[in-house]
Amino acid sequence: MRKAFLRLVAAATLMMWAIVMYLAIDVVRSEGVTTAITLPTLASLPTLEPAANTFAPTQPPPSTPTASPTATQTETIIPTLTPTLSVRVLEIAAVMPGVNVSPTTTPYPLDVTVVPAPPNPYEPLPDATRLPPPYYGWYSFESDHPNVIYATRWERRLHQLASRGQYHRTDDVSSSVRFAFEGEGLRIRYVAARNMGVFQVIVDGVVIDAVDAYATEIAFPGTRVYTLARGQHLLELRSAGAKHPQSEGYTLALDAIQVWRGDANTLIIPPPLDTPSPTHAPKPAARIELVSAPPTLQPIGTPVPPRTISAAVIIAYDENGNRTVDPAEGVAGISVRVVEINTNRVIASGFTDARGYVAFEVVTDTPAQIVVPYFGEVWQLQRGNGGAPAYTLLLTPGNQPGLIP
């Protein structure tokens, strides 16, 4: 009880002194009198004198100045803190276990063309011997190109059906030919005949194909188009030491090497290969009773897949009127095109050679037709499993124009 009483008395005293001080300060403010609060200090401070209007001569300093502490009353300046605005950067990293964000595909730029494989070549191809590099698209490197290196001496032969009218052959099974190139597509044009054997196609030291060049009549076919990685490659052709049972020899003959190289805006992405994953098949029950049959699946119409269609066109003058194409009757330099019937889009084009002959090989899933614009002739291209059909256009001597462009 005593402690509580003392606390009450102390609180009343402090409250009384606070009221007295407030009244005193209020009276001073109302009378316009400003008083400075002075605090005693023991620091030695220099005395500041007001500056006079006239300059006095400078007195020399005393020889031995001494400073003695004196008790003076000075004004104490209390600094004022100015509030400032500060920026605090808060960085929070949140981890959510069990939450997976699936990746999204980034679209290719609009000027990039994505193809699954190099396109099929349409002959005649540009001759790399007559044109300077760089080469883009399909180009033909003939058997006499300077970069075609033969291990031994190969014999040069002439033939009107060969590429540029010539090819090289050898009977030495130990000989080979090499060719360094840059591209993503490769096709070999070779000679097929009764004395030809089997040869290997080797790219960068790996055998990618073995071709049997036997045929009953001489021909100049081409291999399939090989898809390669972008960059430099080394091609090698050599005899496999084997032949067809009806072949008369092991001869190897090269007609031309055809290379496809894409530009900077072409990207080859092969389709993914579907690899079946093994699944565990449970054992059937010992006794199974079939209550109801499964529903019958109704057939669903699927679009016709694209197919390769081959065709050839022969344009000639029937000078002797026998309704057949004779030697020296072919018309060269005539434009022939393959267009889609629905859209009239040109999907292949070429010019007749000195024999008046031009061949096409197109991949399409829509009806197409062959058009000879100069003569106004049109043939509907048939889809079939047989050989390449040949369409013949005979010009009568009476209708022979004076000049064909």
Side-chain angles (χ1 to χ4, degrees), residues 11-12 16 25 35 38 40 49 54 85 105 113 121 148 219 273 325 352 356 358 383:
M16 183 180 298
I25 293 173
T35 58
T38 59
E49 297 293 340
T54 59
L85 181 62
T105 58
T113 303
V148 179
L273 299 177
V325 180
T352 57
V358 61
R383 296 163 56 97

Side-chain angles (χ1 to χ4, degrees), residues 256-283:
I257 301 174
Q258 299 172 347
V259 177
W260 183 85
R261 181 185 179 189
D263 54 9
N265 297 331
T266 304
L267 182 62
I268 297 180
I269 300 181
L273 299 177
D274 295 334
T275 56
S277 57
T279 57
H280 177 69
K283 295 182 178 180

